[in-house]
Amino acid sequence: MSVNRPAAVIVLAAGEGTRMKSKLPKVLHELNGRSMLGHVLAAARELDPQNSVVVVGHARDQVRAHLEEVAPEATTAVQEEQNGTGHAVRMAIEDMAAMGTELSGTVVLTCGDTPLLRGSTLSELVAAHDKEGNAVTVLSARVPDPQGYGRIVRDAGGDFTGIVEHADATPEQHAIDEINSGMYAFDGALLSEVVQRLSTDNAKGEEYVTDAVALLRGDGHRVGAWAADDWHEVQGVNNRVQLSEARRVLNDRLLTEHMLAGVTVVDPATTWVDAQVTIGPDTVLEPGTRLMGATTVGEDAVVGPRADLRDTVVGAGATVSETTADRAEIGPGTTVGPYTYLRPGTRLAERTKAGAFVEVKNSNVGTGSKIPHLTYVGDADIGEGSNIGCSSVFVNYDGVSKSRSVIGDHVRIGSDNTIVAPVHVGDGAYSGAGTVVRDDVPPGALAVSEGHRQRNVEGWTRRKRPGTASAEAADKADRHRADDEQ
Ligand code: UD1
Ligand code: CA
């Protein structure tokens, strides 16, 4: 829907949020990869407003630092003391006026603690506001439990006449289940004028923005209320129970979108995705999977069971099970897991394998190469078609600095090797089991460690561990050997 570009979106976020019982300001608590404030600003961004202003108060430095990261387009207005929603709006407007911003056009007012709000709902609110030519249009919703909210009062003809706060409502008004969401579309010029006239003559002694609605109506302007279809969208989060409920709702909404776009989600109850995640069609998410941050998954992949991927790229047709990955790239057709840890800077090319109990960090693994089991690869560049034998360790750290190991194409590193960086193993080279690779290996050479030769000390157990089960077993084996030899 195309709507007129609003002059501004104002987001109220000055409150402390004491019921979160947290050191973190309420609006910075996270769900599905964004703070609550981040979700609200993402919705606001869909309106393409000329100005985005966040009213900050409590922990304002923390909120400002966060905004610089997630919404650099937003400016902040300070509300020193929380003297009410109307006072907060006045602070934002006076700040904009001081910076020469004229509010001709629509001003949208929202709160920082409603993470389920959709951009499309704000667009519909603004469209209804423009169409009806209102001075203010209140976003309302019919909710299962209206306790505590301001109620929307309508006349016999159904026309909106005003908002009554819960504390001031009559018993009949308490039965009204259409509530004020605390979000509005205002005529900017009229709002700028009316916020100067808000009184503090009420129970809380605060400036209420809801009074602006009554004042504008009293001046003879048209006012309206537009109801959102999904009441969850206007639900404010005040404590951590409500935060978990909002996370569940948002997650289900995101999974539904993915499923309708062709992704199989085997168990939505245990699958969690962040808002920015993308997933290709015909990919299957197995139970217990979390896709976080900017993770992208191609088509025809299988992720999970139990995969935790953050800011990771998974190529088409890859299989990733029982894996923790952070800032890794998993190429098309590659197999990862089970029980695999991919750390930042891991790049697995096409059709590679990182198998059970393998950890990889800051390394490039070329097309078709395999690290099948029980191995640590750190700071390495491995070419194409190579195999790293079971139980090998890339020793990249001498206690002071880190160095890289380079393994060429079609190399066969034997089992239980120790690759001591910096070192270079040439194309087509082999190494024997248990080799400690300290020196470069020329292409096509076999590396083996001397001084590693095996020596057997006969009769050691009987002499040094007499009377043990091992000594007894050895004696028994010796007797069998003697019998066999006869
Ligand atoms: C307000 C509305 C009520 C509506 C409800 C929806 C008024 C008088 N009432 O009530 O009709 O149903 O929201 O949630 O507006 N804030 C500031 N500075 C302040 C006060 C509040 O930034 O000085 C912010 C809060 O951080 C919060 C939002 O504004 O994000 C709403 O404030 P709150 O005190 O929760 O308003 P309610 O009394 O719940
Ligand atoms: Ca509230």
Side-chain angles (χ1 to χ4, degrees), residues 7 29 131 194 208 237 245 260 270 299 345 402 409-411 436:
H29 279 259
K131 187 163 160 261
V194 80
Y208 289 168
V237 169
E245 289 164 355
L260 293 177
T270 63
E299 59 187 3
K402 291 187 177 148
D409 296 340
H410 301 286
V411 168
V436 179

Side-chain angles (χ1 to χ4, degrees), residues 461-463 465-479:
T461 308
R462 190 182 309 119
R463 288 197 307 276
R465 298 289 182 271
T468 62
S470 301
E472 226 169 87
D475 282 343
K476 201 167 155 198
D478 278 351
R479 284 196 298 275

Side-chain angles (χ1 to χ4, degrees), residues 153-456:
V153 183
R154 294 179 183 271
D155 64 18
D159 281 337
F160 170 68
T161 58
I163 299 165
V164 56
E165 289 302 304
H166 183 87
D168 305 324
T170 64
E172 295 91 79
Q173 288 170 332
H174 277 153
I176 298 172
D177 67 353
E178 185 181 7
I179 58 102
N180 169 24
S181 69
M183 303 180 224
Y184 317 76
F186 277 99
D187 177 283
L190 292 174
L191 176 65
S192 305
E193 183 274 322
V194 80
V195 288
Q196 302 298 333
R197 289 194 274 141
L198 302 176
S199 82
T200 53
D201 189 12
N202 53 49
K204 285 195 190 167
E206 292 182 345
E207 295 173 35
Y208 289 168
V209 77
T210 45
D211 285 350
V213 178
L215 287 169
L216 289 169
R217 186 162 183 268
D219 291 348
H221 294 292
R222 276 188 66 98
V223 298
W226 187 83
D229 290 334
D230 177 4
W231 62 272
H232 286 112
E233 288 193 47
V234 305
Q235 272 256 294
V237 169
N238 294 314
N239 59 43
R240 298 194 203 220
V241 176
Q242 292 170 340
L243 178 63
S244 77
E245 289 164 355
R247 186 179 290 118
R248 182 79 263 169
V249 171
L250 183 52
N251 197 64
D252 285 344
R253 189 195 282 176
L254 293 165
L255 288 179
T256 297
E257 285 168 13
H258 288 299
M259 288 189 276
L260 293 177
V263 177
T264 294
V265 180
V266 175
D267 183 19
T270 63
T271 303
W272 294 89
V273 292
D274 282 354
Q276 297 112 292
V277 166
T278 65
I279 310 169
D282 285 320
T283 279
V284 178
L285 304 184
E286 298 283 5
T289 292
R290 293 198 302 165
L291 303 180
M292 297 170 284
T295 293
T296 68
V297 182
E299 59 187 3
D300 302 317
V302 179
V303 181
R306 291 171 295 281
D308 247 14
L309 312 183
R310 180 178 292 285
D311 299 328
T312 287
V313 179
V314 179
T319 303
V320 183
S321 67
E322 310 268 7
T323 292
T324 297
D326 181 9
R327 283 165 280 166
E329 285 176 35
I330 298 167
T334 282
T335 304
V336 179
Y339 321 117
T340 305
Y341 184 23
L342 304 181
R343 292 166 52 197
T346 296
R347 282 196 292 274
L348 307 177
E350 263 180 77
R351 286 173 284 108
T352 59
K353 180 184 170 83
F357 304 104
V358 167
E359 175 176 333
V360 185
K361 183 212 80 170
N362 192 28
S363 294
N364 299 303
V365 179
T367 302
S369 287
K370 294 188 167 68
I371 312 162
H373 351 253
L374 292 162
T375 290
Y376 172 63
V377 175
D379 299 318
D381 299 298
I382 299 173
E384 296 183 358
S386 290
N387 191 87
I388 310 300
C390 177
S391 183
S392 291
V393 178
F394 283 63
V395 180
N396 55 333
Y397 188 48
D398 62 9
V400 179
S401 53
K402 291 187 177 148
S403 307
R404 294 193 76 81
S405 301
V406 179
I407 308 289
D409 296 340
H410 301 286
V411 168
R412 294 287 173 270
I413 296 292
S415 290
D416 196 25
N417 274 211
T418 304
I419 313 290
V420 185
V423 77
H424 186 280
V425 177
D427 294 345
Y430 275 59
S431 68
T435 304
V436 179
V437 181
R438 292 180 187 278
D439 304 318
D440 289 357
V441 181
L446 167 70
V448 289
S449 288
E450 261 165 356
H452 240 180
R453 295 234 64 89
Q454 181 176 332
R455 181 166 71 92
N456 297 334

Side-chain angles (χ1 to χ4, degrees), residues 115-138:
L116 299 177
L117 177 69
R118 282 183 162 100
S120 58
T121 299
L122 286 180
S123 297
E124 285 166 18
L125 171 70
V126 172
H129 175 78
D130 288 352
K131 187 163 160 261
E132 293 174 12
N134 292 335
V136 54
T137 309
V138 181

